[in-house]
Each structure stands twice: as C-alpha cells, then as structure tokens.
Amino acid sequence: MQEQIKNINSLEDLQSLYTATFGKNGTMTAKLKNMKNLDNDARMALNRENTELRELFRVRQSELENAALMAGLEKQRLDVSLNPMPENRGTLHPLTHALANVSAILESFGYEMWTGPEIEDDWHNFTALNTPEYHPARDMQDTFFLENGNVMRTQTSAIQIRSMEKIGAPIKMFGIGATYRKEMDATHSPMFHQIEGLYIDKNITMSDLIADVREFLKRFFEMDDVQLRIRPSYFPFTEPSIEIDMMWQGNKWLEIMGAGMVHPNVLHNCNINPDEYQGFAFGFGWDRLAMLKYGLNDIRKFYDGDVRWLQKTGF
Ligand code: PHE
C-alpha cells in the first residue's frame, strides 16, 4: 500500500485510492471498525498504520499539486523576446489641456472656477445682463430659443450673474462652459466654449483688468511679453466696453477678448450696490485660444470625436 501511494501519478488516482482506503466502505475503515476485537499490540499497530497512511496520502497529494502548478507555470513562461503588445493610451483633448492651463493661471491670480447650466432662462442670459427684451443687442447673438422661452446659453456671462446672485460682492471668479449660437464655418461652431473672468471689489479699475489680462496671456502663450491693443467696443453689460487685440507672431493683430467695467445696472440686478462696489469682466473663446496656442485651424475638429485626430493633437 505504502509503495502504491508513492507511485501514484495523478491526483484523481490518489483520490480514488484514498476513498477505497478511508471512505465509507474503505479497507482501513473496515479494519478500524474491527479494532475492538483486537488485542492491545494489534490495536497499537493498527493506529500506527492508520496515521502513517494518512500522512503518506497527504504528502503525495501536495507533491502532485506542486507538480501540476510547476507544469502550468512552465507552459505560461514569459517570452521576454516577444514584442510588447501595442499600448492603447488615451490622450487629453486639446480643450481639456487648454482649460487645465487657463484654470491654473486664473486660480493663481485668485479667481475661483464656476460652471452653470447650459439651458438658461432669459433673466440670466439676457435681462440681468442689462439686455432687456427688445434691446437691440439681443440681435448680436443668434440665439437658439427653446419652446418654453428658455435659451441655449449664448455666453458664459450668465454664470457671472449666478455667481453674483449667490455670493454677492466682493467676488473674483471665472465661469467656463459650452455656449450656443446659430453659426457654423471653419472658425465658428454652433456649440463652442467660453471662459469669462469677473472681479468685483472696492476700487477696482480698468488698469487692474488690463494687468490681469496681460499677465494671463503672457503665461498662457508662454511669452516674455505681449503687445496689446485696446479698442473701444460695446457690450450691454459693461461700460465702458473694450476689445483687446494681441500682436501675434510679430506681424498681425488678433482679436482676443471682449471686456469692460461691469455696468452698474448689472450689479444692481444682482443686489450689489454699484456705489460701493465695481469691477471688471473679460470673456474669450476657449476654443479659439486653444486653436491659437496649438496651431489648429478648424474648430469643428474639436467636436468630431475623430480618434486619429485626437491622437495627433492630444496630450
Ligand atoms: N459675453 C461677451 C461675448 O460673448 C464677451 C464679454 C464678456 C464681453 C465679458 C465683456 C465682458 O461676446
């Protein structure tokens, strides 16, 4: 029996021999049942045999299990000479990358990031921004109107209203998000993105605005200095309003952002006393800034979801 156990070469065979020995009708089971009829010496001999056999089974079982494990490992051996599987890593979308840059810079200036709903009511998108019904400036933006009178947000300025309503003054924030207008060509998409800064406190002036914008552009475009051109402009929610151009690659002026001192009516609409507080707002196209920085020329590519394009332009 001892020899037989040692020579068994499969776990199944070992299991059947074990059952034949120690199972309900097993040989050893039968002998043990008969123990009471044996004399002392024979009992001790039987006990020894019982213990010894169990130990032999246990040892052989672990030997066979080890052998099976080793055989498995042998089969799965790593072939380090094989080429690695192609790695399918994702990339950051250029807009995501640009936002990370923008927010790191603005946050370092003390601006706090806000978002807001893309479906806006008339109050936040227009009226509170000093653009009441029938105001001609409503035509400046080709708005998507919804049946219930709400609109697809045409400008992130709506987020500023929400932030001022909630926090009041002083406040230093920037709103980011998708905006919608009826327009479409290589540089315009019906859905695009804006980023808009707002700083309201006591004694804030236009030169604070220009200083922040200049420093922001320097850092975003990683330039030692930027040459700016300030042009008077018109937005219903700022007075005075300006447009800021930036000298690009030493040879052309690019329109970069709209800005101005927040109109007293807007502050008033958000329950901020314009005699006590004033400040500025500036807004720019997030997509447009990303296109400039990364040298891209078709805004529509941002939204195509073309993985090959993203792998080329992504980060
Ligand atoms: N909301 C304006 C636009 O969409 C940009 C702007 C923002 C202008 C803040 C002035 C101040 O054109």
Side-chain angles (χ1 to χ4, degrees):
M1 180 77 161
Q2 279 81 343
E3 278 310 298
Q4 202 186 347
I5 295 173
K6 283 182 192 156
N7 289 331
I8 280 184
N9 277 320
S10 85
L11 282 163
E12 294 80 46
D13 291 351
L14 189 70
Q15 181 61 48
S16 15
L17 184 61
Y18 184 89
T19 312
T21 312
F22 293 107
K24 209 163 151 223
N25 303 312
T27 47
M28 182 54 80
T29 313
K31 280 189 199 169
L32 290 171
K33 272 187 194 151
N34 191 40
M35 184 126 99
K36 57 180 182 294
N37 303 323
L38 301 179
D39 63 27
N40 233 1
D41 285 352
R43 280 186 191 186
M44 276 163 67
L46 184 57
N47 265 332
R48 262 200 308 278
E49 189 191 353
N50 181 29
T51 317
E52 188 192 357
L53 280 183
R54 284 182 194 271
E55 178 62 10
L56 279 175
F57 272 108
R58 198 191 58 72
V59 168
R60 189 64 189 146
Q61 179 178 353
S62 87
E63 282 170 0
L64 289 174
E65 280 172 354
N66 268 336
L69 183 68
M70 292 314 283
L73 287 177
E74 190 71 20
K75 256 192 264 158
Q76 295 171 8
R77 223 181 26 212
L78 284 179
D79 182 348
V80 288
S81 68
L82 276 180
N83 285 329
M85 300 280 278
E87 209 181 328
N88 221 348
R89 265 212 216 163
T91 56
L92 282 185
H93 192 286
L95 284 180
T96 309
H97 193 260
L99 177 62
N101 265 299
V102 169
S103 58
I105 299 167
L106 290 180
E107 279 163 4
S108 81
F109 294 174
Y111 292 84
E112 186 186 75
M113 185 158 90
W114 280 65
T115 56
E118 291 176 27
I119 295 177
E120 263 302 2
D121 50 38
D122 184 277
W123 170 256
H124 292 96
N125 197 78
F126 288 123
T127 307
L129 284 159
N130 199 32
T131 321
E133 215 180 338
Y134 305 121
H135 191 291
R138 285 199 178 198
D139 293 340
M140 284 166 74
Q141 302 169 351
D142 294 315
T143 310
F144 288 108
F145 289 96
L146 304 180
E147 274 167 11
N148 61 6
N150 284 345
V151 299
M152 299 306 292
R153 177 172 68 196
T154 61
Q155 48 191 355
T156 42
S157 314
I159 305 175
Q160 306 192 339
I161 299 299
R162 288 183 179 275
S163 72
M164 284 189 281
E165 281 175 342
K166 195 151 182 192
I167 305 284
I171 189 167
K172 198 171 187 184
M173 57 74 70
F174 65 105
I176 63 145
T179 44
Y180 300 83
R181 293 181 199 178
K182 287 186 211 159
E183 47 194 14
M184 172 88 150
D185 57 38
T187 53
H188 294 91
S189 149
M191 190 276 293
F192 58 106
H193 298 83
Q194 287 188 332
I195 296 178
E196 213 163 304
L198 173 77
Y199 184 14
I200 306 287
D201 206 333
K202 295 179 177 170
N203 308 316
I204 302 290
T205 68
M206 193 81 123
S207 49
D208 298 314
L209 161 64
I210 292 164
D212 271 9
V213 167
R214 179 186 299 280
E215 193 57 31
F216 167 75
L217 292 172
K218 264 167 60 177
R219 296 201 198 176
F220 183 75
F221 289 110
E222 297 166 45
M223 304 199 289
D224 292 335
D225 201 8
V226 288
Q227 202 183 337
L228 299 181
R229 189 169 71 176
I230 312 293
R231 284 181 292 113
S233 183
Y234 174 77
F235 300 103
F237 35 85
T238 45
E239 180 58 37
S241 300
I242 59 172
E243 230 146 316
I244 302 175
D245 299 339
M246 183 175 101
M247 176 53 80
W248 188 249
Q249 293 170 346
N251 57 27
K252 59 174 181 254
W253 289 106
L254 288 184
E255 192 184 309
I256 289 287
M257 61 176 86
M261 301 307 290
V262 177
H263 198 293
N265 288 352
V266 174
L267 296 174
H268 183 78
N269 287 336
C270 299
N271 295 317
I272 295 173
N273 179 358
D275 294 327
E276 195 182 353
Y277 288 103
Q278 57 286 136
F280 60 76
F282 58 91
F284 54 87
W286 167 3
D287 316 74
R288 191 168 137 70
L289 240 57
M291 286 164 75
L292 282 173
K293 177 159 177 164
Y294 308 131
L296 308 170
N297 50 27
D298 189 344
I299 191 174
R300 293 166 298 195
K301 292 269 187 223
F302 280 144
Y303 316 119
D304 281 350
D306 179 343
V307 172
R308 287 160 305 178
W309 183 82
L310 286 170
Q311 268 164 353
K312 259 192 278 147
T313 51
F315 295 88

